[in-house]
Amino acid sequence: MDRAQIDQVRRFSRTVTERVGVLQENYLACDRPIGEARLLWEIGEQGQDVRRLRERLGLDSGYVSRLLRALEADGLVTVEPHPRDRRVRQVRLTEAGGTERAVLDGRSDELAGSLLASLDAAQRARLVAAMAEVDRLLTASTVTLDTVDPEHPDAQHCLRSYSRELAERFETGFDPVRSLLPYAGELRMPHGLFLVARLHGEPIGCAGLKLPQDGSAEIKRMWVAPHARGLGLGRRFLAELEARARLQGRDVLRLDTNRALTAAIRLYHATGFEEVPAFNEELYADHWFEKRISAAPSR
């Protein structure tokens, strides 16, 4: 890792924490530290599942429990079991909690305005654009890729979303029964694998890799949720699957796609895939791609 890059990241972190008031004992001049204030804001008007709240903020369960106890003691939240599943705890704002959250919201707007006030119009535009880029890249850095069973609930969520989107985008619609999509067993080792991408614990994408015993590795069912596009996840999936195929001793990586998926086609060209004659009878495919990869040396 480049030392200058690390130093710049640390300088940026110090500047931001100082400028937005994180170091103050009482955040935004309210009578509570930033941890409690952020949790109060994140709970929102609709309330939250405590587990999802913890995953969203990346916080230890014990720390979240302490924060919630403090807010509960101040009469700002209630924490109760879910009526249909008592293992799940739900947190909701009380009337007092909603009032304090509104105060925090207003003061947050004031703080944001103060960051821009001393800059001219061009500088404000540059700062906001830079913040948007930093936000996008930091978000991308928090996405995890995990190997899961294709029958896992997160995998099934992605696959259903994948099928719905293809049905909307393909001229002929999309019927999974008529496609050459692999069955679950083909996406489990040693026959293959299935990856799920998660952001704050929520599934936002998937990609499968077939590893037939006597054939080329093949990418199947690659999908990224619309709201997560722009995070570079498609490239990350391709790089990860290529590395996995290489480790399995494969030197060719294949995939097929439909002409409606123009962004995906551009991505395949940009990442070294070349169009080849059809290598299967996929009803929904218009383009077939192949990439030569260097197999990992055997040990």
Side-chain angles (χ1 to χ4, degrees), residues 222-258:
M222 192 169 90
W223 172 82
V224 176
H227 70 274
R229 290 169 193 172
L231 299 179
L233 192 49
R235 284 180 180 268
R236 189 172 167 188
F237 270 136
L238 291 177
E240 182 66 20
L241 294 178
E242 180 178 329
R244 301 290 189 99
R246 190 182 299 114
L247 286 173
Q248 294 298 318
R250 309 309 167 93
D251 56 10
V252 175
L253 190 57
R254 289 176 164 178
L255 58 87
D256 60 66
T257 194
N258 185 278

PDB file of all heavy atoms in Angstrom, residues 222-258:
ATOM      1  N   MET A 222     -25.081 -13.384 -13.375  1.00  0.00           N
ATOM      2  CA  MET A 222     -24.462 -12.202 -12.781  1.00  0.00           C
ATOM      3  C   MET A 222     -25.464 -11.050 -12.822  1.00  0.00           C
ATOM      4  O   MET A 222     -25.989 -10.708 -13.881  1.00  0.00           O
ATOM      5  CB  MET A 222     -23.175 -11.817 -13.511  1.00  0.00           C
ATOM      6  CG  MET A 222     -22.366 -10.781 -12.740  1.00  0.00           C
ATOM      7  SD  MET A 222     -20.708 -10.520 -13.388  1.00  0.00           S
ATOM      8  CE  MET A 222     -21.024  -9.221 -14.568  1.00  0.00           C
ATOM      9  N   TRP A 223     -25.699 -10.473 -11.654  1.00  0.00           N
ATOM     10  CA  TRP A 223     -26.696  -9.402 -11.528  1.00  0.00           C
ATOM     11  C   TRP A 223     -26.280  -8.458 -10.412  1.00  0.00           C
ATOM     12  O   TRP A 223     -25.747  -8.884  -9.378  1.00  0.00           O
ATOM     13  CB  TRP A 223     -28.065 -10.004 -11.202  1.00  0.00           C
ATOM     14  CG  TRP A 223     -29.120  -8.990 -10.875  1.00  0.00           C
ATOM     15  CD1 TRP A 223     -29.872  -8.257 -11.744  1.00  0.00           C
ATOM     16  CD2 TRP A 223     -29.562  -8.590  -9.568  1.00  0.00           C
ATOM     17  NE1 TRP A 223     -30.734  -7.418 -11.065  1.00  0.00           N
ATOM     18  CE2 TRP A 223     -30.562  -7.618  -9.715  1.00  0.00           C
ATOM     19  CE3 TRP A 223     -29.190  -8.973  -8.276  1.00  0.00           C
ATOM     20  CZ2 TRP A 223     -31.205  -7.008  -8.641  1.00  0.00           C
ATOM     21  CZ3 TRP A 223     -29.814  -8.368  -7.192  1.00  0.00           C
ATOM     22  CH2 TRP A 223     -30.810  -7.401  -7.378  1.00  0.00           C
ATOM     23  N   VAL A 224     -26.534  -7.154 -10.633  1.00  0.00           N
ATOM     24  CA  VAL A 224     -26.286  -6.129  -9.614  1.00  0.00           C
ATOM     25  C   VAL A 224     -27.566  -5.306  -9.481  1.00  0.00           C
ATOM     26  O   VAL A 224     -28.153  -4.891 -10.488  1.00  0.00           O
ATOM     27  CB  VAL A 224     -25.105  -5.223  -9.994  1.00  0.00           C
ATOM     28  CG1 VAL A 224     -24.930  -4.110  -8.964  1.00  0.00           C
ATOM     29  CG2 VAL A 224     -23.819  -6.034 -10.117  1.00  0.00           C
ATOM     30  N   ALA A 225     -27.993  -5.077  -8.251  1.00  0.00           N
ATOM     31  CA  ALA A 225     -29.203  -4.286  -8.013  1.00  0.00           C
ATOM     32  C   ALA A 225     -29.051  -2.896  -8.615  1.00  0.00           C
ATOM     33  O   ALA A 225     -27.971  -2.295  -8.533  1.00  0.00           O
ATOM     34  CB  ALA A 225     -29.470  -4.185  -6.511  1.00  0.00           C
ATOM     35  N   PRO A 226     -30.097  -2.367  -9.235  1.00  0.00           N
ATOM     36  CA  PRO A 226     -30.002  -1.043  -9.873  1.00  0.00           C
ATOM     37  C   PRO A 226     -29.431   0.040  -8.972  1.00  0.00           C
ATOM     38  O   PRO A 226     -28.610   0.857  -9.400  1.00  0.00           O
ATOM     39  CB  PRO A 226     -31.462  -0.750 -10.277  1.00  0.00           C
ATOM     40  CG  PRO A 226     -32.050  -2.099 -10.511  1.00  0.00           C
ATOM     41  CD  PRO A 226     -31.425  -2.989  -9.473  1.00  0.00           C
ATOM     42  N   HIS A 227     -29.817   0.073  -7.687  1.00  0.00           N
ATOM     43  CA  HIS A 227     -29.341   1.141  -6.806  1.00  0.00           C
ATOM     44  C   HIS A 227     -27.870   0.970  -6.435  1.00  0.00           C
ATOM     45  O   HIS A 227     -27.259   1.896  -5.898  1.00  0.00           O
ATOM     46  CB  HIS A 227     -30.191   1.208  -5.536  1.00  0.00           C
ATOM     47  CG  HIS A 227     -29.989   0.048  -4.604  1.00  0.00           C
ATOM     48  ND1 HIS A 227     -30.686  -1.142  -4.724  1.00  0.00           N
ATOM     49  CD2 HIS A 227     -29.173  -0.118  -3.534  1.00  0.00           C
ATOM     50  CE1 HIS A 227     -30.308  -1.973  -3.776  1.00  0.00           C
ATOM     51  NE2 HIS A 227     -29.391  -1.379  -3.036  1.00  0.00           N
ATOM     52  N   ALA A 228     -27.280  -0.208  -6.733  1.00  0.00           N
ATOM     53  CA  ALA A 228     -25.869  -0.452  -6.405  1.00  0.00           C
ATOM     54  C   ALA A 228     -24.972  -0.339  -7.632  1.00  0.00           C
ATOM     55  O   ALA A 228     -23.760  -0.555  -7.531  1.00  0.00           O
ATOM     56  CB  ALA A 228     -25.713  -1.831  -5.766  1.00  0.00           C
ATOM     57  N   ARG A 229     -25.541  -0.006  -8.765  1.00  0.00           N
ATOM     58  CA  ARG A 229     -24.716   0.133  -9.976  1.00  0.00           C
ATOM     59  C   ARG A 229     -23.916   1.428  -9.901  1.00  0.00           C
ATOM     60  O   ARG A 229     -24.361   2.415  -9.341  1.00  0.00           O
ATOM     61  CB  ARG A 229     -25.615   0.074 -11.210  1.00  0.00           C
ATOM     62  CG  ARG A 229     -26.167  -1.333 -11.407  1.00  0.00           C
ATOM     63  CD  ARG A 229     -27.269  -1.470 -12.423  1.00  0.00           C
ATOM     64  NE  ARG A 229     -27.883  -2.795 -12.259  1.00  0.00           N
ATOM     65  CZ  ARG A 229     -28.979  -3.198 -12.877  1.00  0.00           C
ATOM     66  NH1 ARG A 229     -29.608  -2.390 -13.718  1.00  0.00           N
ATOM     67  NH2 ARG A 229     -29.459  -4.412 -12.658  1.00  0.00           N
ATOM     68  N   GLY A 230     -22.711   1.384 -10.446  1.00  0.00           N
ATOM     69  CA  GLY A 230     -21.805   2.518 -10.324  1.00  0.00           C
ATOM     70  C   GLY A 230     -20.776   2.330  -9.234  1.00  0.00           C
ATOM     71  O   GLY A 230     -19.896   3.169  -9.052  1.00  0.00           O
ATOM     72  N   LEU A 231     -20.857   1.202  -8.507  1.00  0.00           N
ATOM     73  CA  LEU A 231     -19.886   0.917  -7.452  1.00  0.00           C
ATOM     74  C   LEU A 231     -18.758   0.012  -7.939  1.00  0.00           C
ATOM     75  O   LEU A 231     -17.903  -0.386  -7.147  1.00  0.00           O
ATOM     76  CB  LEU A 231     -20.585   0.251  -6.257  1.00  0.00           C
ATOM     77  CG  LEU A 231     -21.687   1.053  -5.567  1.00  0.00           C
ATOM     78  CD1 LEU A 231     -22.293   0.244  -4.424  1.00  0.00           C
ATOM     79  CD2 LEU A 231     -21.145   2.381  -5.051  1.00  0.00           C
ATOM     80  N   GLY A 232     -18.752  -0.323  -9.227  1.00  0.00           N
ATOM     81  CA  GLY A 232     -17.695  -1.186  -9.765  1.00  0.00           C
ATOM     82  C   GLY A 232     -17.886  -2.650  -9.413  1.00  0.00           C
ATOM     83  O   GLY A 232     -16.938  -3.443  -9.505  1.00  0.00           O
ATOM     84  N   LEU A 233     -19.114  -3.022  -9.044  1.00  0.00           N
ATOM     85  CA  LEU A 233     -19.336  -4.388  -8.591  1.00  0.00           C
ATOM     86  C   LEU A 233     -19.265  -5.400  -9.726  1.00  0.00           C
ATOM     87  O   LEU A 233     -18.828  -6.535  -9.526  1.00  0.00           O
ATOM     88  CB  LEU A 233     -20.692  -4.464  -7.881  1.00  0.00           C
ATOM     89  CG  LEU A 233     -21.001  -5.733  -7.097  1.00  0.00           C
ATOM     90  CD1 LEU A 233     -19.857  -6.125  -6.173  1.00  0.00           C
ATOM     91  CD2 LEU A 233     -22.289  -5.546  -6.305  1.00  0.00           C
ATOM     92  N   GLY A 234     -19.686  -5.010 -10.932  1.00  0.00           N
ATOM     93  CA  GLY A 234     -19.587  -5.922 -12.068  1.00  0.00           C
ATOM     94  C   GLY A 234     -18.140  -6.318 -12.335  1.00  0.00           C
ATOM     95  O   GLY A 234     -17.823  -7.508 -12.512  1.00  0.00           O
ATOM     96  N   ARG A 235     -17.247  -5.351 -12.351  1.00  0.00           N
ATOM     97  CA  ARG A 235     -15.818  -5.643 -12.541  1.00  0.00           C
ATOM     98  C   ARG A 235     -15.289  -6.505 -11.403  1.00  0.00           C
ATOM     99  O   ARG A 235     -14.472  -7.407 -11.622  1.00  0.00           O
ATOM    100  CB  ARG A 235     -15.014  -4.341 -12.607  1.00  0.00           C
ATOM    101  CG  ARG A 235     -15.130  -3.595 -13.923  1.00  0.00           C
ATOM    102  CD  ARG A 235     -14.302  -2.323 -13.901  1.00  0.00           C
ATOM    103  NE  ARG A 235     -14.412  -1.613 -15.153  1.00  0.00           N
ATOM    104  CZ  ARG A 235     -13.585  -1.765 -16.180  1.00  0.00           C
ATOM    105  NH1 ARG A 235     -12.570  -2.619 -16.084  1.00  0.00           N
ATOM    106  NH2 ARG A 235     -13.743  -1.082 -17.290  1.00  0.00           N
ATOM    107  N   ARG A 236     -15.753  -6.213 -10.193  1.00  0.00           N
ATOM    108  CA  ARG A 236     -15.270  -6.979  -9.049  1.00  0.00           C
ATOM    109  C   ARG A 236     -15.723  -8.435  -9.132  1.00  0.00           C
ATOM    110  O   ARG A 236     -14.943  -9.351  -8.839  1.00  0.00           O
ATOM    111  CB  ARG A 236     -15.783  -6.329  -7.768  1.00  0.00           C
ATOM    112  CG  ARG A 236     -15.176  -6.907  -6.502  1.00  0.00           C
ATOM    113  CD  ARG A 236     -15.575  -6.085  -5.304  1.00  0.00           C
ATOM    114  NE  ARG A 236     -15.265  -6.767  -4.071  1.00  0.00           N
ATOM    115  CZ  ARG A 236     -15.649  -6.359  -2.855  1.00  0.00           C
ATOM    116  NH1 ARG A 236     -16.350  -5.252  -2.749  1.00  0.00           N
ATOM    117  NH2 ARG A 236     -15.339  -7.061  -1.783  1.00  0.00           N
ATOM    118  N   PHE A 237     -16.962  -8.656  -9.531  1.00  0.00           N
ATOM    119  CA  PHE A 237     -17.437 -10.025  -9.728  1.00  0.00           C
ATOM    120  C   PHE A 237     -16.584 -10.753 -10.770  1.00  0.00           C
ATOM    121  O   PHE A 237     -16.152 -11.887 -10.562  1.00  0.00           O
ATOM    122  CB  PHE A 237     -18.892 -10.020 -10.195  1.00  0.00           C
ATOM    123  CG  PHE A 237     -19.907 -10.056  -9.093  1.00  0.00           C
ATOM    124  CD1 PHE A 237     -21.014  -9.216  -9.146  1.00  0.00           C
ATOM    125  CD2 PHE A 237     -19.794 -10.929  -8.020  1.00  0.00           C
ATOM    126  CE1 PHE A 237     -21.978  -9.249  -8.148  1.00  0.00           C
ATOM    127  CE2 PHE A 237     -20.752 -10.967  -7.018  1.00  0.00           C
ATOM    128  CZ  PHE A 237     -21.850 -10.120  -7.079  1.00  0.00           C
ATOM    129  N   LEU A 238     -16.362 -10.088 -11.905  1.00  0.00           N
ATOM    130  CA  LEU A 238     -15.600 -10.729 -12.979  1.00  0.00           C
ATOM    131  C   LEU A 238     -14.185 -11.073 -12.519  1.00  0.00           C
ATOM    132  O   LEU A 238     -13.677 -12.164 -12.801  1.00  0.00           O
ATOM    133  CB  LEU A 238     -15.547  -9.814 -14.203  1.00  0.00           C
ATOM    134  CG  LEU A 238     -16.869  -9.602 -14.952  1.00  0.00           C
ATOM    135  CD1 LEU A 238     -16.664  -8.607 -16.095  1.00  0.00           C
ATOM    136  CD2 LEU A 238     -17.414 -10.912 -15.494  1.00  0.00           C
ATOM    137  N   ALA A 239     -13.535 -10.160 -11.819  1.00  0.00           N
ATOM    138  CA  ALA A 239     -12.168 -10.407 -11.341  1.00  0.00           C
ATOM    139  C   ALA A 239     -12.141 -11.557 -10.341  1.00  0.00           C
ATOM    140  O   ALA A 239     -11.249 -12.424 -10.379  1.00  0.00           O
ATOM    141  CB  ALA A 239     -11.596  -9.141 -10.714  1.00  0.00           C
ATOM    142  N   GLU A 240     -13.125 -11.586  -9.443  1.00  0.00           N
ATOM    143  CA  GLU A 240     -13.161 -12.646  -8.425  1.00  0.00           C
ATOM    144  C   GLU A 240     -13.431 -14.010  -9.066  1.00  0.00           C
ATOM    145  O   GLU A 240     -12.780 -15.014  -8.721  1.00  0.00           O
ATOM    146  CB  GLU A 240     -14.237 -12.326  -7.392  1.00  0.00           C
ATOM    147  CG  GLU A 240     -14.342 -13.328  -6.265  1.00  0.00           C
ATOM    148  CD  GLU A 240     -13.135 -13.378  -5.352  1.00  0.00           C
ATOM    149  OE1 GLU A 240     -12.368 -12.381  -5.347  1.00  0.00           O
ATOM    150  OE2 GLU A 240     -12.942 -14.399  -4.664  1.00  0.00           O
ATOM    151  N   LEU A 241     -14.359 -14.066 -10.001  1.00  0.00           N
ATOM    152  CA  LEU A 241     -14.669 -15.341 -10.647  1.00  0.00           C
ATOM    153  C   LEU A 241     -13.506 -15.809 -11.522  1.00  0.00           C
ATOM    154  O   LEU A 241     -13.232 -17.014 -11.611  1.00  0.00           O
ATOM    155  CB  LEU A 241     -15.947 -15.213 -11.464  1.00  0.00           C
ATOM    156  CG  LEU A 241     -17.216 -14.974 -10.653  1.00  0.00           C
ATOM    157  CD1 LEU A 241     -18.414 -14.821 -11.569  1.00  0.00           C
ATOM    158  CD2 LEU A 241     -17.461 -16.107  -9.657  1.00  0.00           C
ATOM    159  N   GLU A 242     -12.821 -14.877 -12.159  1.00  0.00           N
ATOM    160  CA  GLU A 242     -11.643 -15.247 -12.933  1.00  0.00           C
ATOM    161  C   GLU A 242     -10.575 -15.853 -12.030  1.00  0.00           C
ATOM    162  O   GLU A 242      -9.962 -16.874 -12.357  1.00  0.00           O
ATOM    163  CB  GLU A 242     -11.086 -14.023 -13.658  1.00  0.00           C
ATOM    164  CG  GLU A 242      -9.843 -14.319 -14.488  1.00  0.00           C
ATOM    165  CD  GLU A 242      -9.335 -13.109 -15.240  1.00  0.00           C
ATOM    166  OE1 GLU A 242     -10.156 -12.250 -15.623  1.00  0.00           O
ATOM    167  OE2 GLU A 242      -8.099 -13.025 -15.449  1.00  0.00           O
ATOM    168  N   ALA A 243     -10.360 -15.223 -10.870  1.00  0.00           N
ATOM    169  CA  ALA A 243      -9.365 -15.747  -9.926  1.00  0.00           C
ATOM    170  C   ALA A 243      -9.762 -17.131  -9.430  1.00  0.00           C
ATOM    171  O   ALA A 243      -8.915 -18.031  -9.300  1.00  0.00           O
ATOM    172  CB  ALA A 243      -9.208 -14.776  -8.757  1.00  0.00           C
ATOM    173  N   ARG A 244     -11.051 -17.333  -9.146  1.00  0.00           N
ATOM    174  CA  ARG A 244     -11.506 -18.647  -8.671  1.00  0.00           C
ATOM    175  C   ARG A 244     -11.346 -19.707  -9.762  1.00  0.00           C
ATOM    176  O   ARG A 244     -10.952 -20.842  -9.472  1.00  0.00           O
ATOM    177  CB  ARG A 244     -12.980 -18.555  -8.250  1.00  0.00           C
ATOM    178  CG  ARG A 244     -13.290 -17.557  -7.142  1.00  0.00           C
ATOM    179  CD  ARG A 244     -12.749 -17.990  -5.792  1.00  0.00           C
ATOM    180  NE  ARG A 244     -13.249 -17.122  -4.730  1.00  0.00           N
ATOM    181  CZ  ARG A 244     -14.269 -17.407  -3.941  1.00  0.00           C
ATOM    182  NH1 ARG A 244     -14.894 -18.562  -4.059  1.00  0.00           N
ATOM    183  NH2 ARG A 244     -14.659 -16.558  -3.002  1.00  0.00           N
ATOM    184  N   ALA A 245     -11.670 -19.345 -11.008  1.00  0.00           N
ATOM    185  CA  ALA A 245     -11.520 -20.294 -12.110  1.00  0.00           C
ATOM    186  C   ALA A 245     -10.051 -20.669 -12.304  1.00  0.00           C
ATOM    187  O   ALA A 245      -9.711 -21.832 -12.543  1.00  0.00           O
ATOM    188  CB  ALA A 245     -12.088 -19.693 -13.393  1.00  0.00           C
ATOM    189  N   ARG A 246      -9.176 -19.676 -12.166  1.00  0.00           N
ATOM    190  CA  ARG A 246      -7.748 -19.926 -12.323  1.00  0.00           C
ATOM    191  C   ARG A 246      -7.247 -20.883 -11.246  1.00  0.00           C
ATOM    192  O   ARG A 246      -6.464 -21.801 -11.528  1.00  0.00           O
ATOM    193  CB  ARG A 246      -6.996 -18.595 -12.266  1.00  0.00           C
ATOM    194  CG  ARG A 246      -5.527 -18.690 -12.659  1.00  0.00           C
ATOM    195  CD  ARG A 246      -4.825 -17.361 -12.545  1.00  0.00           C
ATOM    196  NE  ARG A 246      -5.414 -16.368 -13.419  1.00  0.00           N
ATOM    197  CZ  ARG A 246      -6.054 -15.288 -13.022  1.00  0.00           C
ATOM    198  NH1 ARG A 246      -6.201 -15.050 -11.715  1.00  0.00           N
ATOM    199  NH2 ARG A 246      -6.554 -14.438 -13.881  1.00  0.00           N
ATOM    200  N   LEU A 247      -7.714 -20.684 -10.024  1.00  0.00           N
ATOM    201  CA  LEU A 247      -7.302 -21.562  -8.932  1.00  0.00           C
ATOM    202  C   LEU A 247      -7.771 -23.001  -9.153  1.00  0.00           C
ATOM    203  O   LEU A 247      -7.160 -23.940  -8.645  1.00  0.00           O
ATOM    204  CB  LEU A 247      -7.847 -21.046  -7.600  1.00  0.00           C
ATOM    205  CG  LEU A 247      -7.157 -19.808  -7.026  1.00  0.00           C
ATOM    206  CD1 LEU A 247      -7.900 -19.302  -5.802  1.00  0.00           C
ATOM    207  CD2 LEU A 247      -5.705 -20.130  -6.665  1.00  0.00           C
ATOM    208  N   GLN A 248      -8.852 -23.147  -9.901  1.00  0.00           N
ATOM    209  CA  GLN A 248      -9.357 -24.485 -10.201  1.00  0.00           C
ATOM    210  C   GLN A 248      -8.707 -25.089 -11.448  1.00  0.00           C
ATOM    211  O   GLN A 248      -9.143 -26.125 -11.938  1.00  0.00           O
ATOM    212  CB  GLN A 248     -10.877 -24.441 -10.390  1.00  0.00           C
ATOM    213  CG  GLN A 248     -11.638 -24.072  -9.128  1.00  0.00           C
ATOM    214  CD  GLN A 248     -11.442 -25.063  -8.002  1.00  0.00           C
ATOM    215  OE1 GLN A 248     -11.445 -26.273  -8.235  1.00  0.00           O
ATOM    216  NE2 GLN A 248     -11.253 -24.567  -6.777  1.00  0.00           N
ATOM    217  N   GLY A 249      -7.663 -24.413 -11.942  1.00  0.00           N
ATOM    218  CA  GLY A 249      -6.906 -24.943 -13.068  1.00  0.00           C
ATOM    219  C   GLY A 249      -7.508 -24.683 -14.428  1.00  0.00           C
ATOM    220  O   GLY A 249      -7.071 -25.278 -15.425  1.00  0.00           O
ATOM    221  N   ARG A 250      -8.483 -23.772 -14.521  1.00  0.00           N
ATOM    222  CA  ARG A 250      -9.102 -23.476 -15.818  1.00  0.00           C
ATOM    223  C   ARG A 250      -8.336 -22.359 -16.515  1.00  0.00           C
ATOM    224  O   ARG A 250      -7.855 -21.433 -15.867  1.00  0.00           O
ATOM    225  CB  ARG A 250     -10.571 -23.076 -15.654  1.00  0.00           C
ATOM    226  CG  ARG A 250     -11.371 -24.061 -14.816  1.00  0.00           C
ATOM    227  CD  ARG A 250     -11.200 -25.503 -15.306  1.00  0.00           C
ATOM    228  NE  ARG A 250     -11.696 -26.464 -14.357  1.00  0.00           N
ATOM    229  CZ  ARG A 250     -12.913 -26.969 -14.353  1.00  0.00           C
ATOM    230  NH1 ARG A 250     -13.790 -26.567 -15.266  1.00  0.00           N
ATOM    231  NH2 ARG A 250     -13.261 -27.857 -13.439  1.00  0.00           N
ATOM    232  N   ASP A 251      -8.263 -22.450 -17.829  1.00  0.00           N
ATOM    233  CA  ASP A 251      -7.558 -21.409 -18.588  1.00  0.00           C
ATOM    234  C   ASP A 251      -8.473 -20.674 -19.560  1.00  0.00           C
ATOM    235  O   ASP A 251      -8.022 -19.820 -20.324  1.00  0.00           O
ATOM    236  CB  ASP A 251      -6.344 -21.980 -19.316  1.00  0.00           C
ATOM    237  CG  ASP A 251      -6.689 -23.134 -20.241  1.00  0.00           C
ATOM    238  OD1 ASP A 251      -7.892 -23.381 -20.473  1.00  0.00           O
ATOM    239  OD2 ASP A 251      -5.752 -23.790 -20.727  1.00  0.00           O
ATOM    240  N   VAL A 252      -9.762 -21.007 -19.551  1.00  0.00           N
ATOM    241  CA  VAL A 252     -10.737 -20.314 -20.394  1.00  0.00           C
ATOM    242  C   VAL A 252     -11.968 -19.995 -19.549  1.00  0.00           C
ATOM    243  O   VAL A 252     -12.463 -20.843 -18.801  1.00  0.00           O
ATOM    244  CB  VAL A 252     -11.155 -21.174 -21.605  1.00  0.00           C
ATOM    245  CG1 VAL A 252     -12.265 -20.471 -22.396  1.00  0.00           C
ATOM    246  CG2 VAL A 252      -9.956 -21.434 -22.517  1.00  0.00           C
ATOM    247  N   LEU A 253     -12.442 -18.768 -19.692  1.00  0.00           N
ATOM    248  CA  LEU A 253     -13.632 -18.317 -18.972  1.00  0.00           C
ATOM    249  C   LEU A 253     -14.652 -17.862 -20.010  1.00  0.00           C
ATOM    250  O   LEU A 253     -14.323 -17.075 -20.904  1.00  0.00           O
ATOM    251  CB  LEU A 253     -13.261 -17.160 -18.044  1.00  0.00           C
ATOM    252  CG  LEU A 253     -14.304 -16.680 -17.028  1.00  0.00           C
ATOM    253  CD1 LEU A 253     -14.755 -17.825 -16.122  1.00  0.00           C
ATOM    254  CD2 LEU A 253     -13.717 -15.544 -16.199  1.00  0.00           C
ATOM    255  N   ARG A 254     -15.866 -18.361 -19.898  1.00  0.00           N
ATOM    256  CA  ARG A 254     -16.899 -18.075 -20.891  1.00  0.00           C
ATOM    257  C   ARG A 254     -18.131 -17.446 -20.247  1.00  0.00           C
ATOM    258  O   ARG A 254     -18.384 -17.597 -19.053  1.00  0.00           O
ATOM    259  CB  ARG A 254     -17.319 -19.368 -21.591  1.00  0.00           C
ATOM    260  CG  ARG A 254     -16.289 -19.946 -22.537  1.00  0.00           C
ATOM    261  CD  ARG A 254     -16.801 -21.266 -23.082  1.00  0.00           C
ATOM    262  NE  ARG A 254     -16.051 -21.699 -24.256  1.00  0.00           N
ATOM    263  CZ  ARG A 254     -16.267 -22.854 -24.901  1.00  0.00           C
ATOM    264  NH1 ARG A 254     -17.205 -23.688 -24.459  1.00  0.00           N
ATOM    265  NH2 ARG A 254     -15.556 -23.169 -25.964  1.00  0.00           N
ATOM    266  N   LEU A 255     -18.923 -16.785 -21.094  1.00  0.00           N
ATOM    267  CA  LEU A 255     -20.238 -16.292 -20.677  1.00  0.00           C
ATOM    268  C   LEU A 255     -21.051 -15.961 -21.918  1.00  0.00           C
ATOM    269  O   LEU A 255     -20.502 -15.800 -23.005  1.00  0.00           O
ATOM    270  CB  LEU A 255     -20.106 -15.068 -19.776  1.00  0.00           C
ATOM    271  CG  LEU A 255     -19.373 -13.836 -20.310  1.00  0.00           C
ATOM    272  CD1 LEU A 255     -20.315 -12.908 -21.093  1.00  0.00           C
ATOM    273  CD2 LEU A 255     -18.751 -13.050 -19.170  1.00  0.00           C
ATOM    274  N   ASP A 256     -22.355 -15.892 -21.753  1.00  0.00           N
ATOM    275  CA  ASP A 256     -23.231 -15.452 -22.851  1.00  0.00           C
ATOM    276  C   ASP A 256     -24.138 -14.360 -22.324  1.00  0.00           C
ATOM    277  O   ASP A 256     -24.349 -14.234 -21.106  1.00  0.00           O
ATOM    278  CB  ASP A 256     -24.046 -16.618 -23.417  1.00  0.00           C
ATOM    279  CG  ASP A 256     -24.948 -17.274 -22.383  1.00  0.00           C
ATOM    280  OD1 ASP A 256     -25.890 -16.611 -21.914  1.00  0.00           O
ATOM    281  OD2 ASP A 256     -24.712 -18.452 -22.037  1.00  0.00           O
ATOM    282  N   THR A 257     -24.703 -13.544 -23.233  1.00  0.00           N
ATOM    283  CA  THR A 257     -25.556 -12.444 -22.800  1.00  0.00           C
ATOM    284  C   THR A 257     -26.518 -12.048 -23.903  1.00  0.00           C
ATOM    285  O   THR A 257     -26.368 -12.450 -25.069  1.00  0.00           O
ATOM    286  CB  THR A 257     -24.715 -11.234 -22.351  1.00  0.00           C
ATOM    287  OG1 THR A 257     -25.531 -10.322 -21.636  1.00  0.00           O
ATOM    288  CG2 THR A 257     -24.078 -10.526 -23.550  1.00  0.00           C
ATOM    289  N   ASN A 258     -27.489 -11.245 -23.536  1.00  0.00           N
ATOM    290  CA  ASN A 258     -28.512 -10.773 -24.456  1.00  0.00           C
ATOM    291  C   ASN A 258     -28.160  -9.378 -24.960  1.00  0.00           C
ATOM    292  O   ASN A 258     -27.558  -8.586 -24.242  1.00  0.00           O
ATOM    293  CB  ASN A 258     -29.857 -10.758 -23.712  1.00  0.00           C
ATOM    294  CG  ASN A 258     -31.026 -10.389 -24.604  1.00  0.00           C
ATOM    295  OD1 ASN A 258     -31.286  -9.213 -24.848  1.00  0.00           O
ATOM    296  ND2 ASN A 258     -31.746 -11.396 -25.066  1.00  0.00           N
TER     297      ASN A 258
END
